[in-house]
Amino acid sequence: QVQLVESGGGLVQAGGSLRLTCAVSGLSFSSYTMGWFRQAPGKEREFVAFINWNGGNGYYADSVKGRFTISRDNAKNTVYLQMNGLKPEDTAVYYCAKSQRAYSSGSVYYGRSSYDYWGQGTQVTVSS
């Protein structure tokens, strides 16, 4: 079955860095666009970044642009989120997600409804 497992979260001071990892199994990883979302307490789950199935540049929420970088290693079935310059408002549970359709890319992947499998999440806490 399809599994997505996030890791790499933790507690960091403002201005620090973390790298999140999402290990994917049970599917042809290289065929799918992958995304990262986050959810803070009492808030809706929001888009952070996505990377197309065929790689290339990532696409980002305005709130993280210039600080976060999404990448993928198809040989390792893994997607990463490098987070630099962390701020207290980045505190949230971070989730990776797999696109519903294979060999598909584009602006639809800014939205949660375009993903069908999600990981369990990893907590990121940024102290001021």
Side-chain angles (χ1 to χ4, degrees):
Q1 70 276 23
V2 177
Q3 285 191 314
L4 289 76
V5 180
E6 301 97 335
S7 61
L11 174 63
V12 64
Q13 288 188 332
S17 298
L18 285 172
R19 188 174 83 154
L20 304 184
T21 298
C22 175
V24 182
S25 60
L27 52 79
S28 178
F29 175 76
S30 62
S31 304
Y32 292 91
T33 290
M34 297 297 298
W36 284 97
F37 288 73
R38 67 187 182 186
Q39 187 167 17
K43 294 189 175 182
E44 294 284 320
R45 191 171 298 188
E46 65 175 7
F47 168 77
V48 175
F50 78 85
I51 186 166
N52 286 324
W53 66 274
N54 54 357
N57 293 330
Y59 298 82
Y60 301 93
D62 287 343
S63 59
V64 307
K65 203 171 292 183
R67 299 187 298 122
F68 290 11
T69 303
I70 188 172
S71 61
R72 64 190 299 157
D73 185 338
N74 287 342
K76 296 182 178 180
N77 285 7
T78 300
V79 60
Y80 304 98
L81 186 68
Q82 177 67 44
M83 306 186 296
N84 299 329
L86 283 161
K87 305 175 181 180
E89 52 264 43
D90 295 318
T91 295
V93 177
Y94 284 70
Y95 299 89
C96 66
K98 161 201 161 292
S99 63
Q100 289 185 355
R101 296 174 57 192
Y103 307 112
S104 175
S105 58
S107 60
V108 294
Y109 292 109
Y110 288 97
R112 288 181 296 171
S113 62
S114 295
Y115 299 86
D116 58 357
Y117 283 89
W118 298 77
Q120 82 289 349
T122 187
Q123 176 71 47
V124 171
T125 303
V126 184
S127 62
S128 56

